[in-house]
Amino acid sequence: MPRPPGHGPGYEIKRQEIIDQAAALFAKHGYAATGIAELGQVAGLAKGALYYYIGSKENLLVEIQDRVLGPLLTAARQIAALDEDPVLRLRLLSETLLGNILARLDHIWVYEHDYRHLRGANRARLLRQRREFEKIVLDLLAEAMESGAFRRLDPRLAMLQFLNLHNHTYQWAHRDGQWDAEFLSREYCATLFSGFCNSGYDVAGLEKRLADYRDRSSA
Amino acid sequence: MPRPPGHGPGYEIKRQEIIDQAAALFAKHGYAATGIAELGQVAGLAKGALYYYIGSKENLLVEIQDRVLGPLLTAARQIAALDEDPVLRLRLLSETLLGNILARLDHIWVYEHDYRHLRGANRARLLRQRREFEKIVLDLLAEAMESGAFRRLDPRLAMLQFLNLHNHTYQWAHRDGQWDAEFLSREYCATLFSGFCNSGYDVAGLEKRLADYRDRSSA
Amino acid sequence: MPRPPGHGPGYEIKRQEIIDQAAALFAKHGYAATGIAELGQVAGLAKGALYYYIGSKENLLVEIQDRVLGPLLTAARQIAALDEDPVLRLRLLSETLLGNILARLDHIWVYEHDYRHLRGANRARLLRQRREFEKIVLDLLAEAMESGAFRRLDPRLAMLQFLNLHNHTYQWAHRDGQWDAEFLSREYCATLFSGFCNSGYDVAGLEKRLADYRDRSSA
Amino acid sequence: MPRPPGHGPGYEIKRQEIIDQAAALFAKHGYAATGIAELGQVAGLAKGALYYYIGSKENLLVEIQDRVLGPLLTAARQIAALDEDPVLRLRLLSETLLGNILARLDHIWVYEHDYRHLRGANRARLLRQRREFEKIVLDLLAEAMESGAFRRLDPRLAMLQFLNLHNHTYQWAHRDGQWDAEFLSREYCATLFSGFCNSGYDVAGLEKRLADYRDRSSA
DNA sequence: TATGAATGAGTCTTCATTCAT
DNA sequence: CATGAATGAAGACTCATTCAT
């Protein structure tokens, strides 16, 4: 969303760079404790020029949140709409979520810690998006219960367990960690689905069906 | 850590009150975004008197972290030392952890969000304590694997799953929520241990054994 | 209106001093062009301490406007309520107005030039007070017409002439000028009332009646 | 004062447009509180191009003052040089002055409020021109006294009354107001001259003589 | 002619902290 | 014990102005 009208071709590129740098700083020190001066130093820009790009500090926060929630929601909506077993879709969603987390660890730090510094409309929009994501997870879990794959659980508590397990990952994961999204997703889902599924359900077969799905969709 | 020597009898009481109020404020707005002035207003004290009690803003943070980790570590050490099945001990640890989280939600917010504002020795001490807690969980999980209850998993990943699931709870729990620590612990452990245990292990019997243990120890 | 609760005895005194100094600076350079730093230098206070007294820059403007309009409105209401010839009351009002202008030239500069920098409620309140003052003048002029002393004029235009003549005085008057409020009021009223009155009205006798009134009310 | 040599034909036209827009903005928010960026937006020009036309912000102020004082002084000089009764010339000057005020209300706002933001030579020149205008009024009043039309008044105080009454008009007049310059001039002069003239002088006949003069000079 | 990008001093305001009383 | 008063660095942000293109 390029703000003011009339900007040169390099504007948006530089702007995105600055948002990257801001995300790194916010992740490290927290949004409130990061000064605009510090960001200027990192960006190699005087304060005036900085504001030419960022508009305001809160605006940076908005952009960072959008970078997290935008792709995530898009992917989640697509996955939810697939004509596949709900458990498989949960597994896909899990991997997408973890992929997003691991790919942009600093963005996630900010996303998880500093959303409360958003005000007014920005905050409302964020919360709406968060709720939409949670709803997608909730609905998939409910579907999995209806399909007989999962036991009758409190769907909300199931969703919260799903999110707890995934979303807390940013706290200890680090760039170039030993585990990638695929591995973590397999492990997390193995744990969750063992707990959630009916005795009759073939948890072990899930990874096989995932591979099949991937063959099909890449074909 | 009562500061200088020579304090009246009410000193420590008032000091603890102020730390309570600080925790509430820090949880609400974040440590960095909370002003000492705000705290003074809530405490009904002018700045001078406030500093007489708190020493410094960072000191408040230290105290809050201690209130979380002190009791938690004490309890964790005791549980780890029990002469019981490691799985049962994990279940006990889980409930204790959740009990602490739910009992002091605002402290946990601060503990999770703002420990990075600690500097130097305070920070080092905190990290040491966190690692000790993680080590206790790790060792219990390893014991459970050795005992044959759990499959051979990467113990570190198992520990991280355990902590993810528990520690992220503060994000959505609220005072007087519908679920208490016992219930959540049962649910979380059911999920985790279903995923972790060997096919031969009697997960369902865990709660029974827990009840037995409680009968014994209260007797 | 001392703002925050709990201030020492010297607080209000110092606060009033600072407002004085602010009025002088605002009058000289204009509100918008005067920096808080400048005020701090004049007051001999660091910025922090300054804000301890002033609250905000706009608040200074509010106080200055109040110092002008408060006493003026009080006096105007009293004069309007007197049981005297409306022309005499206009003459009294004129002198009061000029007295206020000459006594606080710098406040008047700010009052006349910078009221538009007030926002929201502050601005609304100011405009209400200004209109009240204008209404008092208007009503007195209308009364004077009804009493037969003045010709049938457009009362609004008469009021505007009255205010033009008086209110523009701040532009050229200076402290210790050669003319005091009494003299200027006599001259201004002589001019205005010559133009306004009916041929039968005894303009020249007004000053005599004023002297009588003053004898009476001081007795 | 067109700046550097070598400008295209449209330069001066656009430049005048920009000064118009600047006057409107300055009148609305005050010179100090108006940003160059705001002006650029209104003018539809980026900052670079804007500066190509305006030279500097202070220069705009100079131009606006010149637009007020230039025509006013030219007209005042011509009127003063007429071979007519000084009272008639004062009446003509009054109408010219009011015409200028009503025709360019925003320029007058700036002229009255922001001349103090001029520095050095610009300020000196402005003050010189203001004094010249005042001198013209002063001399006409003195002439009217010498001619016996007016009483022996303090000529300076008479001039100040004349200017007060006229110059404060900008404060409440607005474009398309109910009163035009001719009407206001007639009313203002009726008031002033009633107060100033000797008992023998025929104030009421002034408008008649003005009409005669206009017949003559248009013929 | 006109632009977009950059500057850096300047804007108002808040901060955690200290200390004489 | 407690206060009110003071500090000065730092907070986010805007300013008029310049200049390579």
Side-chain angles (χ1 to χ4, degrees):
Chain A
M1 46 176 80
R3 277 295 141 65
H7 278 304
Y11 178 84
E12 193 56 27
I13 294 166
K14 185 134 205 167
R15 189 161 162 276
Q16 294 299 333
E17 273 175 31
I18 293 172
I19 298 171
D20 278 339
Q21 294 162 325
L25 286 176
F26 291 169
K28 208 164 168 189
H29 309 126
Y31 172 77
T34 303
I36 286 291
E38 204 178 348
L39 177 55
Q41 248 174 324
V42 167
L45 245 38
K47 266 182 270 191
L50 200 61
Y51 269 85
Y52 177 64
Y53 289 104
I54 67 173
S56 77
K57 194 185 174 187
E58 179 167 345
N59 195 45
L60 284 171
L61 196 48
V62 172
E63 301 274 358
I64 292 168
Q65 305 277 4
D66 279 349
R67 283 181 174 189
V68 170
L69 272 170
L72 194 58
L73 270 179
T74 303
R77 286 189 200 114
Q78 285 174 352
I79 289 169
L82 289 178
D83 186 23
E84 301 286 337
D85 172 18
V87 181
L88 180 62
R89 278 179 285 160
L90 277 167
R91 171 66 176 77
L92 286 168
L93 187 57
S94 157
E95 190 165 327
T96 291
L97 176 52
L98 285 165
N100 274 281
I101 289 170
L102 297 180
R104 291 184 179 271
L105 272 175
D106 47 14
H107 284 68
I108 301 290
W109 264 103
V110 180
Y111 171 78
E112 291 285 341
H113 277 65
D114 293 311
Y115 68 86
R116 290 185 308 173
H117 291 107
L118 290 176
R119 313 241 143 258
N122 288 330
R123 185 176 200 151
R125 185 160 140 277
L126 173 77
L127 292 176
R128 210 181 322 120
Q129 291 179 309
R130 289 199 168 206
R131 275 194 300 265
E132 184 187 345
F133 184 80
E134 292 175 7
K135 184 72 166 29
I136 288 173
V137 178
L138 192 75
D139 288 348
L140 283 175
L141 287 163
E143 254 191 87
M145 293 176 203
E146 279 160 29
S147 77
F150 287 177
R151 292 182 285 125
R152 288 270 152 220
L153 309 149
D154 181 325
R156 196 171 133 71
L157 182 52
M159 173 201 74
L160 291 168
Q161 289 189 67
F162 183 97
L163 292 180
N164 277 5
L165 196 54
H166 288 82
N167 284 343
H168 210 66
T169 303
Y170 78 94
Q171 276 275 358
W172 48 263
H174 35 82
R175 210 196 314 267
D176 313 319
Q178 53 180 322
W179 301 314
D180 63 8
E182 200 203 329
F183 173 77
L184 279 178
S185 177
R186 204 185 316 141
E187 294 290 318
Y188 285 4
C189 288
T191 303
L192 287 170
F193 299 165
S194 297
F196 292 172
C197 71
N198 268 314
S199 50
Y201 188 80
D202 178 19
V203 181
L206 176 60
E207 294 301 320
K208 173 90 182 63
R209 277 181 291 135
L210 177 64
D212 288 349
Y213 164 76
R214 286 205 163 120
D215 283 349
R216 262 182 288 138
S217 54
S218 67
Chain B
M1 47 180 76
R3 216 113 291 254
H7 280 308
Y11 178 84
E12 194 55 29
I13 294 166
K14 184 125 205 168
R15 190 161 162 276
Q16 295 298 332
E17 270 176 33
I18 294 173
I19 299 172
D20 277 339
Q21 294 161 328
L25 286 177
F26 290 170
K28 206 164 169 189
H29 312 302
Y31 172 77
T34 303
I36 287 290
E38 205 178 346
L39 177 55
Q41 244 178 320
V42 167
L45 246 39
K47 298 225 193 103
L50 200 61
Y51 268 83
Y52 173 70
Y53 289 107
I54 67 173
S56 76
K57 193 184 174 187
E58 179 168 348
N59 195 46
L60 284 171
L61 197 48
V62 172
E63 302 276 356
I64 292 168
Q65 305 279 2
D66 280 349
R67 283 180 173 191
V68 170
L69 273 171
L72 194 58
L73 270 179
T74 304
R77 286 189 200 113
Q78 286 174 353
I79 289 169
L82 290 177
D83 184 25
E84 300 287 338
D85 171 16
V87 180
L88 180 62
R89 278 178 286 158
L90 277 168
R91 172 66 177 77
L92 287 168
L93 187 58
S94 157
E95 191 164 327
T96 293
L97 176 53
L98 285 166
N100 274 279
I101 289 171
L102 296 181
R104 291 183 177 268
L105 271 175
D106 47 15
H107 284 67
I108 301 290
W109 264 104
V110 180
Y111 171 77
E112 291 285 342
H113 277 66
D114 293 311
Y115 69 85
R116 288 181 308 172
H117 291 108
L118 291 176
R119 317 239 140 259
N122 287 330
R123 183 172 201 153
R125 187 159 136 279
L126 173 77
L127 292 176
R128 209 181 322 119
Q129 291 178 308
R130 287 199 169 206
R131 273 194 302 266
E132 184 186 345
F133 185 80
E134 292 174 8
K135 183 71 166 30
I136 290 173
V137 177
L138 192 74
D139 288 348
L140 283 175
L141 287 163
E143 256 191 86
M145 293 176 204
E146 277 158 31
S147 78
F150 286 177
R151 291 182 286 126
R152 286 268 153 221
L153 308 149
D154 181 325
R156 195 170 133 71
L157 182 52
M159 172 202 74
L160 292 168
Q161 289 188 67
F162 184 95
L163 293 181
N164 277 5
L165 197 53
H166 288 80
N167 284 343
H168 209 66
T169 303
Y170 79 94
Q171 277 276 357
W172 49 262
H174 34 83
R175 208 196 314 269
D176 313 319
Q178 53 179 323
W179 301 314
D180 63 7
E182 199 204 330
F183 172 78
L184 279 179
S185 178
R186 203 187 317 141
E187 294 289 318
Y188 285 4
C189 288
T191 302
L192 287 170
F193 300 165
S194 297
F196 291 172
C197 71
N198 266 315
S199 51
Y201 188 81
D202 177 20
V203 182
L206 176 61
E207 294 301 321
K208 172 93 182 62
R209 278 180 289 136
L210 177 64
D212 290 348
Y213 164 76
R214 287 201 163 125
D215 283 348
R216 262 181 288 137
S217 53
S218 67
Chain C
M1 45 176 81
R3 276 296 141 65
H7 278 304
Y11 178 84
E12 194 55 27
I13 294 166
K14 185 134 203 167
R15 189 161 163 278
Q16 294 299 332
E17 272 174 32
I18 292 172
I19 299 172
D20 278 338
Q21 293 161 327
L25 285 176
F26 291 170
K28 208 164 167 190
H29 309 127
Y31 172 77
T34 303
I36 286 290
E38 204 178 348
L39 177 54
Q41 247 175 324
V42 167
L45 245 38
K47 267 183 269 193
L50 200 61
Y51 269 84
Y52 177 65
Y53 289 104
I54 69 174
S56 76
K57 193 185 174 188
E58 179 166 345
N59 194 44
L60 284 172
L61 196 47
V62 172
E63 301 274 359
I64 293 168
Q65 305 278 4
D66 279 349
R67 282 180 174 189
V68 170
L69 273 171
L72 195 57
L73 270 179
T74 304
R77 287 189 200 114
Q78 285 175 350
I79 288 169
L82 290 178
D83 186 24
E84 300 287 336
D85 172 16
V87 180
L88 180 62
R89 277 180 283 159
L90 277 167
R91 172 67 176 77
L92 286 168
L93 187 57
S94 157
E95 191 165 325
T96 291
L97 176 52
L98 285 165
N100 274 280
I101 290 171
L102 296 180
R104 291 185 179 270
L105 271 175
D106 46 15
H107 284 67
I108 301 290
W109 264 104
V110 179
Y111 171 78
E112 291 284 341
H113 277 65
D114 293 311
Y115 67 87
R116 289 186 307 173
H117 291 108
L118 291 175
R119 314 242 141 258
N122 288 331
R123 184 175 201 152
R125 186 161 140 277
L126 173 77
L127 293 177
R128 210 181 322 120
Q129 290 179 310
R130 289 200 166 203
R131 275 194 300 267
E132 184 187 345
F133 185 79
E134 292 175 6
K135 183 71 166 30
I136 289 174
V137 177
L138 192 74
D139 288 348
L140 283 175
L141 287 163
E143 256 192 86
M145 293 176 204
E146 279 158 29
S147 77
F150 287 177
R151 291 183 286 126
R152 287 267 152 222
L153 308 151
D154 181 327
R156 193 170 135 69
L157 182 52
M159 173 201 73
L160 291 168
Q161 289 188 69
F162 184 96
L163 292 181
N164 277 6
L165 196 54
H166 288 82
N167 283 344
H168 209 66
T169 304
Y170 79 94
Q171 276 276 358
W172 48 262
H174 36 83
R175 210 195 316 265
D176 314 319
Q178 53 180 321
W179 301 314
D180 64 9
E182 199 203 329
F183 173 77
L184 280 179
S185 178
R186 204 186 314 140
E187 294 290 317
Y188 285 2
C189 288
T191 301
L192 287 170
F193 299 166
S194 298
F196 291 172
C197 71
N198 268 316
S199 51
Y201 189 81
D202 177 20
V203 182
L206 176 60
E207 295 300 320
K208 172 90 181 65
R209 276 180 292 135
L210 176 64
D212 289 349
Y213 165 76
R214 287 200 162 124
D215 281 349
R216 261 181 290 138
S217 54
S218 66
Chain D
M1 47 181 76
R3 215 114 292 255
H7 280 309
Y11 179 83
E12 194 56 26
I13 293 166
K14 185 125 204 168
R15 190 160 164 277
Q16 294 300 329
E17 270 175 33
I18 293 172
I19 299 171
D20 277 339
Q21 294 161 326
L25 287 176
F26 290 169
K28 206 162 166 190
H29 312 303
Y31 172 78
T34 303
I36 286 291
E38 205 179 346
L39 178 54
Q41 243 177 322
V42 167
L45 247 40
K47 297 227 193 102
L50 200 63
Y51 268 82
Y52 174 70
Y53 288 108
I54 68 173
S56 77
K57 193 184 174 189
E58 179 167 345
N59 194 46
L60 284 170
L61 197 48
V62 173
E63 302 276 357
I64 292 167
Q65 305 279 4
D66 279 350
R67 283 180 173 190
V68 169
L69 273 171
L72 193 59
L73 270 179
T74 303
R77 286 189 200 113
Q78 285 174 352
I79 289 170
L82 290 177
D83 184 25
E84 300 286 338
D85 171 16
V87 180
L88 180 61
R89 277 179 286 159
L90 278 167
R91 172 66 177 76
L92 287 168
L93 187 57
S94 157
E95 191 165 327
T96 292
L97 176 52
L98 285 166
N100 274 279
I101 289 170
L102 296 182
R104 291 182 176 271
L105 270 175
D106 47 14
H107 284 67
I108 301 292
W109 263 104
V110 180
Y111 171 78
E112 291 285 342
H113 277 67
D114 293 311
Y115 68 87
R116 288 179 309 171
H117 291 109
L118 292 175
R119 317 238 140 261
N122 287 331
R123 183 173 201 154
R125 188 160 136 277
L126 173 78
L127 293 176
R128 210 181 321 120
Q129 291 179 309
R130 288 198 169 206
R131 275 194 301 267
E132 185 186 343
F133 185 80
E134 292 175 6
K135 185 69 164 33
I136 288 173
V137 177
L138 192 74
D139 288 349
L140 284 175
L141 287 163
E143 255 191 88
M145 293 176 203
E146 278 159 30
S147 77
F150 287 176
R151 293 180 286 124
R152 287 269 151 221
L153 309 148
D154 182 326
R156 196 172 132 69
L157 182 53
M159 173 203 74
L160 291 169
Q161 290 189 66
F162 184 96
L163 292 181
N164 277 6
L165 197 54
H166 288 80
N167 284 344
H168 209 65
T169 303
Y170 79 94
Q171 276 275 357
W172 47 263
H174 34 81
R175 209 197 313 268
D176 314 318
Q178 53 179 324
W179 301 314
D180 64 7
E182 199 204 330
F183 172 78
L184 279 180
S185 177
R186 203 186 316 142
E187 295 289 318
Y188 285 4
C189 288
T191 302
L192 286 170
F193 300 166
S194 297
F196 291 172
C197 71
N198 267 315
S199 53
Y201 187 80
D202 177 19
V203 182
L206 176 60
E207 295 300 320
K208 173 91 182 63
R209 277 179 290 135
L210 176 64
D212 288 350
Y213 164 76
R214 288 202 162 123
D215 283 348
R216 263 181 288 137
S217 51
S218 66

